[in-house]
């Protein structure tokens, strides 16, 4: 496929700048899902999106800026596994009060999250790749700090979720949530990496049940 950089720049008028950026990020995501983040180059994204090389450069200052936008998309989609409608419904369903009610709420949420992990494993592999790429990025790069920011967002949500689950169950946490949230997220990451390696669904579900039991050990009735 041949592109005429100068003549195709007016294509930007057909879509808003934001729409064009979203189109290019979607093309980058399609490439990355098939071949990994290393396959995301300006030329490859232009070909995937069927636009000129110049349009990609018009929308993104550099390859790093394009990949950074892609990683932000990956982060947003992965966080939706924890904040989506299924999770909200599991929290809204009546489960009673007390320690068992808290465990049931946590179990329901873990199961919802797990289903999305198992349904889209390639996206979770990209999630891991994006973290490594961010940690390796030099200061000043658009990629620098994305992994750390992702961790902060995840920690904030998990802390809010655990607090809401405890309140709905008439329970309270006996330690500051900051004490357990980081460890819980590391536990989830470990389960994820183990499953990506062996695809053992039963082992992963058992590990999530152990995580629920561990978390409930830090709760008591109000």
């Amino acid at each position: 496929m041949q592109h005429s950089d100068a003549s195709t720049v007016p294509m930007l008028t057909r879509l808003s700048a934001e729409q064009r950026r979203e189109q290019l990020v979607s093309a980058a995501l399609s490439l990355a899902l098939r071949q990994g983040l290393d396959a995301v180059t300006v030329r490859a994204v232009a070909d995937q999106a069927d636009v000129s090389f110049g349009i990609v450069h018009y929308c993104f200052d550099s390859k790093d800026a394009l990949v950074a936008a892609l990683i932000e998309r990956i982060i947003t989609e992965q966080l939706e596994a924890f904040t989506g409608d299924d999770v909200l419904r599991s929290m809204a369903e009546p489960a009673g009060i007390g320690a068992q009610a808290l465990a049931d709420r946590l179990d329901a949420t873990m199961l919802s999250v797990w289903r999305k992990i198992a349904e889209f494993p390639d996206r979770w592999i990209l999630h891991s790749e994006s973290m490594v790429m961010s940690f390796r990025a030099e200061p000043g790069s658009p990629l620098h700090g994305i992994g750390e920011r992702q961790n902060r967002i995840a920690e904030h949500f998990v802390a809010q979720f655990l607090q809401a689950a405890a309140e709905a169950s008439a329970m309270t946490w006996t330690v500051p949530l900051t004490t357990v949230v980081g460890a819980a997220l590391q536990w989830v990451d470990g389960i994820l990496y183990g499953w990506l390696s062996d695809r053992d669904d039963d082992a992963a579900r058992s590990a999530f049940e152990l995580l629920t039991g561990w978390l409930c050990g830090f709760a008591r009735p109000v």
Side-chain angles (χ1 to χ4, degrees):
M1 179 176 60
Q2 293 183 346
H3 300 298
S4 175
D5 291 352
S7 64
T8 52
V9 169
M11 289 175 64
L12 285 168
T13 60
R14 300 178 188 175
L15 297 175
S16 70
E18 185 58 31
Q19 288 173 326
R20 182 65 72 185
R21 283 173 60 89
E22 287 300 310
Q23 178 201 25
L24 295 174
V25 171
S26 293
L29 178 59
S30 180
L31 278 170
L33 285 171
R34 294 197 310 269
Q35 304 174 42
L37 285 176
D38 287 342
V40 179
T41 66
V42 173
R43 175 61 69 188
V45 170
D47 289 343
Q48 179 71 28
D50 196 23
V51 300
S52 75
F53 189 82
I55 282 179
V56 182
H57 274 299
Y58 183 92
C59 293
F60 296 97
D61 294 338
S62 64
K63 173 188 171 180
D64 278 1
L66 172 59
V67 174
L70 169 60
I71 292 175
E72 293 287 1
R73 168 80 71 84
I74 294 168
I75 291 170
T76 299
E77 291 186 356
Q78 299 315 92
L79 284 176
E80 286 176 356
F82 295 87
T83 61
D85 291 341
D86 290 346
V87 173
L88 296 177
R89 279 196 296 269
S90 71
M91 283 294 298
E93 291 174 358
I97 61 174
Q100 187 58 53
L102 175 60
D104 289 345
R105 286 189 168 92
L106 296 183
D107 279 338
T109 301
M110 297 289 185
L111 180 58
S112 174
V113 171
W114 168 245
R115 285 172 177 162
K116 293 184 179 182
I117 291 174
E119 185 177 1
F120 301 109
D122 290 344
R123 291 177 182 264
W124 291 89
I125 293 172
L126 276 183
H127 167 90
S128 301
E129 284 187 73
S130 69
M131 293 290 283
V132 173
M133 184 173 285
S134 173
F135 294 150
R136 287 179 172 172
E138 296 291 333
S141 166
L143 295 167
H144 184 72
I146 289 180
E148 181 182 1
R149 185 164 67 256
Q150 177 178 347
N151 279 338
R152 300 292 84 78
I153 293 171
E155 288 172 355
H156 176 71
F157 170 75
V158 172
Q160 286 190 316
F161 164 72
L162 290 177
Q163 185 60 40
E167 290 175 358
S169 308
M171 300 286 285
T172 187
W173 298 103
T174 60
V175 296
L177 286 178
T178 52
T179 303
V180 298
V181 164
L185 286 171
Q186 291 171 20
W187 196 320
V188 171
D189 282 344
I191 297 171
L192 169 60
Y193 295 141
W195 181 81
L196 289 173
S197 173
D198 58 30
R199 305 301 170 102
D200 188 334
D201 293 353
D202 291 338
R205 292 191 185 98
S206 294
F208 276 117
E209 289 174 2
L210 288 172
L211 173 56
T212 294
W214 179 77
L215 285 169
C216 288
F218 295 103
R220 61 171 175 78
V222 174

